């Protein structure tokens, strides 16, 4: 590995020596294990598909530790009305689909993408997700993709749509090498859809109720079939609405798998009355974390599930779980900007080597744990505060979310994430925030972070939650495995004792 150090918005990453120097300056432990050499791609994925997803933070759970996405708000028009959507509401402190602080022309968007690419080396994907529908505003969407592709040819292009107007643009998407498309599919039964969509506008006419949902369903299925036929990866988003489509989503999962969807992302309804949505104003509640997990578990064996979604804004910038969009508003982006690939190239080189090291370390930890722990040993959930890079590198007090990993004799797996910012908590007191964090961590008794103060650690201990900072800056998998072995009363791994 080279001696270069890449700074990513406050997170320093580079060689193990560089990491140890950074940790030592904060008084952190440097006892983590590393390794070298590993598989280049998952065994169950062909090389062509792996090449498409390996740097896409939404399509690969591993990639979301390393790579950033960017959404540009160039498509304000929409052709359907959803009972959970209100694009007029915006709060800079929240994260919610459809929310933007400013709209862009294709020219403004292209300049902004270059500015972000020069400052955020993790950037790998440009997405258009509204704030309306990217296909209802197709001219602006196409112009934006065309301009960006000319300046940054290696950036992946990604589009999100409700699917209604998508079929008529599939061939153009294929011609532009757009290889990732997300379709929001909340139902396959128009009777269910009528409770979610009051109306649609299609073919110059407005339709209502069951008829509207029938047309929407037919167009969504047609779009999915056409995209899969052309080798474009499709992620299906579904909003879980208790009492309306919670049980029905099992059928949605089966159907989209049958038609070849790559991923299914089941997201919780956000229905705060302050947002002014129909569901929010009429008292329709969102699901609890347990209800969401129950539906996801019920879909096991169906389409592969995405569990690391952050329900991003339509102008989000940065790693999943963070938003740096306010650093790149129109007034902050220069009128003249030239793309410099140096930082992105250096970062991609670092990621390739870091991935090898991390995978080898995870495999070593899995092998040793599996050899020494009885098959009947229970599973353990461990929450991690991380800023990316696959390491435990975030201060507990600064974390707005926790990534939860499941560990047993089969190894360490990402399970789900828990947010503790409640989408908009500007001005909340520290005491209230800690109470919110404790509620967020319900069912999890172990947290790993880079650092924590004595007072919050004691308060959490009183709530039955142990917070450890002994594994600061270690790889997540090796640290979680070490905690698991300690909990099972086993000796540390050889790599850790060395």
């Amino acid at each position: 590995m080279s001696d270069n150090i890449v700074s990513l918005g406050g997170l320093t990453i580079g060689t193990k020596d560089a990491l140890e120097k950074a940790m030592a300056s904060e008084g952190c432990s440097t006892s983590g294990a590393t390794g070298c050499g590993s598989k280049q791609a998952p065994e169950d994925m062909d090389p062509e598909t792996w090449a498409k997803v390996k740097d896409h933070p939404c399509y690969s759970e591993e990639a979301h530790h390393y790579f950033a996405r960017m959404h540009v708000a160039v498509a304000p028009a929409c052709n359907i009305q959803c009972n959970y959507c209100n694009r007029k509401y915006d709060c800079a402190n929240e994260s919610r689909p459809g929310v933007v602080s400013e709209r862009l022309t294709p020219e403004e968007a292209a300049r902004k993408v270059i500015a972000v690419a020069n400052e955020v080396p993790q950037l790998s994907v440009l997405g258009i997700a509204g704030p309306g529908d990217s296909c209802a505003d197709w001219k602006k969407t196409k112009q934006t993709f065309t301009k960006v592709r000319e300046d940054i040819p290696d950036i992946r292009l990604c589009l999100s749509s409700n699917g209604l107007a998508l079929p008529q643009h599939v061939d153009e998407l294929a011609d532009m090498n757009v290889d990732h498309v997300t379709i929001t599919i909340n139902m396959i039964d128009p009777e269910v859809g009528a409770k979610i969509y009051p109306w649609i506008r299609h073919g110059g006419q407005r339709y209502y109720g069951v008829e509207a949902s029938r047309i929407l369903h037919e167009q969504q299925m047609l779009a999915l079939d056409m995209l899969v036929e052309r080798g474009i990866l499709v992620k299906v988003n579904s909003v879980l609405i208790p009492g309306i489509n919670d049980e029905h989503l099992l059928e949605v999962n089966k159907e989209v798998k049958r038609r070849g969807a790559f991923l299914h992302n089941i997201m919780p309804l956000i229905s705060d009355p302050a947002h002014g949505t129909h569901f929010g104003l009429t008292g329709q509640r969102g699901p609890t974390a347990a209800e969401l997990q129950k539906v996801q578990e019920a879909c096991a064996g169906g389409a592969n599930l995405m569990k690391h979604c952050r329900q991003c804004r339509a102008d989000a910038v940065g790693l999943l779980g963070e938003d740096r969009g306010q650093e790149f508003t129109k007034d902050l982006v220069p009128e003249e900007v030239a793309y410099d690939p140096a930082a992105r190239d250096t970062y991609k080189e670092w990621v390739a080597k870091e991935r090898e090291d991390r995978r080898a370390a995870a495999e070593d930890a899995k092998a040793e744990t599996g050899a020494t722990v009885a098959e009947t040993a229970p599973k353990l959930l461990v929450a991690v505060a991380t800023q990316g890079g696959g390491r435990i590198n975030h201060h507990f007090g600064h974390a707005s979310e926790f990534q939860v990993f499941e560990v047993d004799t089969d190894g360490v797996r990402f399970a789900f994430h828990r947010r503790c910012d409640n989408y908009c908590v500007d001005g909340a007191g520290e005491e209230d925030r800690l109470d919110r964090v404790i509620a967020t961590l319900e069912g999890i008794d172990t947290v790993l972070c880079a650092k924590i103060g004595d007072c919050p650690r004691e308060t959490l201990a009183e709530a039955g939650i142990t917070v450890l900072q002994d594994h600061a800056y270690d790889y997540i998998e090796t640290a979680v495995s070490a905690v698991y072995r300690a909990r099972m009363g086993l000796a540390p791994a050889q790599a850790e004792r060395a």
Side-chain angles (χ1 to χ4, degrees), residues 23-167:
M23 292 186 288
S25 68
E26 295 188 11
C28 298
S29 167
T30 61
S31 60
T34 61
C36 60
S38 71
K39 299 187 299 293
Q40 293 299 307
E43 293 178 346
D44 59 350
M45 194 177 300
D46 64 89
E48 183 179 356
T49 301
W50 173 243
K52 292 180 180 179
V53 305
K54 69 183 182 70
D55 296 346
H56 196 307
C58 301
Y59 283 70
S60 165
E61 189 277 320
E62 183 195 47
H64 101 275
H65 292 286
Y66 300 105
F67 291 100
R69 84 300 190 219
M70 176 182 182
H71 294 166
V72 288
V74 297
C78 199
N79 48 8
I80 71 174
Q81 178 59 52
C82 306
N83 282 332
Y84 52 75
C85 180
N86 177 11
R87 290 172 288 123
K88 296 180 180 179
Y89 181 89
D90 172 36
C91 173
N93 298 303
E94 69 159 342
S95 177
R96 183 168 56 87
V99 171
V100 299
S101 294
E102 58 186 13
R103 297 173 183 173
L104 305 173
T105 66
E107 293 76 13
E108 290 169 337
R111 282 206 322 273
K112 183 173 178 177
V113 174
I114 293 174
V116 170
N118 287 342
E119 296 293 328
V120 183
Q122 309 106 307
L123 182 65
S124 65
V125 174
L126 170 66
I128 298 179
D133 184 77
S134 55
C135 291
D137 246 342
W138 178 248
K139 183 177 180 180
K140 297 174 184 176
T141 295
K142 184 176 181 179
Q143 287 177 352
T144 302
F145 279 158
T146 301
K147 289 178 179 295
V148 171
R149 180 69 83 188
E150 291 174 354
D151 293 316
I152 312 178
D154 71 322
I155 198 167
R156 293 207 171 273
L157 303 179
C158 189
L159 175 143
S160 295
S161 173
N162 58 50
L164 183 59
L166 183 53

Side-chain angles (χ1 to χ4, degrees), residues 257-329:
K257 178 185 180 180
R258 186 180 73 82
R259 292 178 180 268
F262 182 75
L263 280 176
H264 189 196
N265 174 29
I266 301 175
M267 310 179 295
L269 170 71
I270 302 171
S271 59
D272 189 327
H275 300 159
T277 66
H278 174 78
F279 279 153
L281 295 174
T282 56
Q284 171 64 54
R285 70 175 180 85
T288 64
E291 288 172 330
L292 176 63
Q293 187 174 349
K294 180 180 179 180
V295 173
Q296 291 174 333
E297 290 175 349
C299 290
N304 291 330
L305 294 179
M306 174 187 180
K307 296 183 179 180
H308 60 280
C309 175
R310 304 302 197 272
Q311 294 180 274
C312 304
R313 295 165 59 100
D315 59 2
V317 175
L319 295 168
L320 298 190
E322 75 170 1
D323 188 0
R324 299 177 59 184
Q326 296 303 310
E327 300 176 33
F328 301 97
T329 54

Side-chain angles (χ1 to χ4, degrees), residues 16 20 29-35 360-369 372 392 407 412 448 468 470-472 474-487 490-498:
K16 188 170 187 289
E20 290 178 347
S29 167
T30 61
S31 60
T34 61
E363 289 171 4
D364 290 345
K366 175 183 175 181
E368 178 136 355
T369 300
T372 54
I392 300 165
V407 55
V412 179
L448 304 182
L468 303 174
D470 303 342
H471 300 279
D474 287 359
Y475 289 125
I476 292 172
E477 289 83 0
T478 52
V480 172
S481 292
V483 169
Y484 186 64
R485 288 192 295 273
R487 189 67 57 87
L490 301 167
Q494 292 294 331
E496 292 173 4
R497 290 197 297 268

Side-chain angles (χ1 to χ4, degrees), residues 369 372-380 407-410 484 488 490:
T369 300
T372 54
V373 179
E375 292 185 2
T376 57
K379 295 180 180 179
L380 179 67
V407 55
D408 57 18
T409 55
D410 289 329
Y484 186 64
M488 297 297 110
L490 301 167

Side-chain angles (χ1 to χ4, degrees), residues 121-446:
Q122 309 106 307
L123 182 65
S124 65
V125 174
L126 170 66
I128 298 179
D133 184 77
S134 55
C135 291
D137 246 342
W138 178 248
K139 183 177 180 180
K140 297 174 184 176
T141 295
K142 184 176 181 179
Q143 287 177 352
T144 302
F145 279 158
T146 301
K147 289 178 179 295
V148 171
R149 180 69 83 188
E150 291 174 354
D151 293 316
I152 312 178
D154 71 322
I155 198 167
R156 293 207 171 273
L157 303 179
C158 189
L159 175 143
S160 295
S161 173
N162 58 50
L164 183 59
L166 183 53
Q168 60 190 288
H169 302 300
V170 169
D171 287 336
E172 291 176 278
L173 289 169
D175 290 342
M176 291 188 293
N177 294 319
V178 175
D179 46 22
H180 302 80
V181 171
T182 296
I183 311 175
T184 298
I185 301 176
N186 295 316
M187 55 84 198
I188 57 173
D189 180 350
E191 295 287 345
V192 174
K195 301 175 184 178
I196 303 171
Y197 307 105
W199 56 262
I200 69 168
R201 188 173 61 254
H202 181 63
Q205 184 175 344
R206 184 170 290 198
Y207 298 87
Y208 299 86
V210 174
E211 184 179 15
S213 292
R214 177 186 59 78
I215 295 171
L216 176 61
H217 165 62
E218 291 173 352
Q219 291 296 107
Q220 289 175 336
M221 297 301 104
L222 176 60
L224 176 53
D225 290 343
M226 292 176 69
L227 291 164
V228 171
E229 183 181 350
R230 288 157 179 78
I232 298 174
L233 299 183
V234 180
K235 176 167 68 72
V236 170
N237 280 353
S238 296
V239 179
L240 173 57
I241 311 166
I244 293 182
N245 72 346
D246 41 359
E247 296 182 2
H248 181 59
L249 286 184
L250 276 69
E251 299 304 315
V252 173
N253 181 268
K254 293 176 184 177
E255 182 64 12
V256 300
K257 178 185 180 180
R258 186 180 73 82
R259 292 178 180 268
F262 182 75
L263 280 176
H264 189 196
N265 174 29
I266 301 175
M267 310 179 295
L269 170 71
I270 302 171
S271 59
D272 189 327
H275 300 159
T277 66
H278 174 78
F279 279 153
L281 295 174
T282 56
Q284 171 64 54
R285 70 175 180 85
T288 64
E291 288 172 330
L292 176 63
Q293 187 174 349
K294 180 180 179 180
V295 173
Q296 291 174 333
E297 290 175 349
C299 290
N304 291 330
L305 294 179
M306 174 187 180
K307 296 183 179 180
H308 60 280
C309 175
R310 304 302 197 272
Q311 294 180 274
C312 304
R313 295 165 59 100
D315 59 2
V317 175
L319 295 168
L320 298 190
E322 75 170 1
D323 188 0
R324 299 177 59 184
Q326 296 303 310
E327 300 176 33
F328 301 97
T329 54
K330 286 192 286 188
D331 60 317
L332 297 177
V333 174
E335 287 295 325
E336 299 292 334
V337 58
Y339 174 54
D340 181 358
R344 289 182 71 233
D345 289 345
T346 298
Y347 180 71
K348 284 187 285 187
E349 291 175 3
W350 176 86
V351 168
K353 295 172 181 177
E354 181 76 355
R355 273 175 152 167
E356 292 180 6
D357 196 37
R358 180 185 170 198
R359 287 175 190 158
E363 289 171 4
D364 290 345
K366 175 183 175 181
E368 178 136 355
T369 300
T372 54
V373 179
E375 292 185 2
T376 57
K379 295 180 180 179
L380 179 67
L381 292 177
V382 179
V384 173
T386 177
Q387 286 182 288
R391 294 183 183 266
I392 300 165
N393 52 20
H394 207 15
H395 193 297
F396 179 88
H398 300 159
S400 60
E401 68 169 26
F402 296 91
Q403 295 189 24
V404 182
F405 289 79
E406 180 183 71
V407 55
D408 57 18
T409 55
D410 289 329
V412 179
R413 301 168 298 281
F414 175 83
F416 49 85
H417 75 278
R418 292 276 179 88
R419 297 189 61 157
C420 53
D421 59 359
N422 291 344
Y423 298 98
C424 185
V425 293
D426 190 36
E430 183 63 29
E431 183 176 343
D432 292 339
R433 185 183 183 284
L434 192 53
D435 289 341
R436 217 167 31 248
V437 172
I438 291 173
T440 296
L441 294 172
E442 181 180 0
I444 301 166
D445 64 9
T446 304

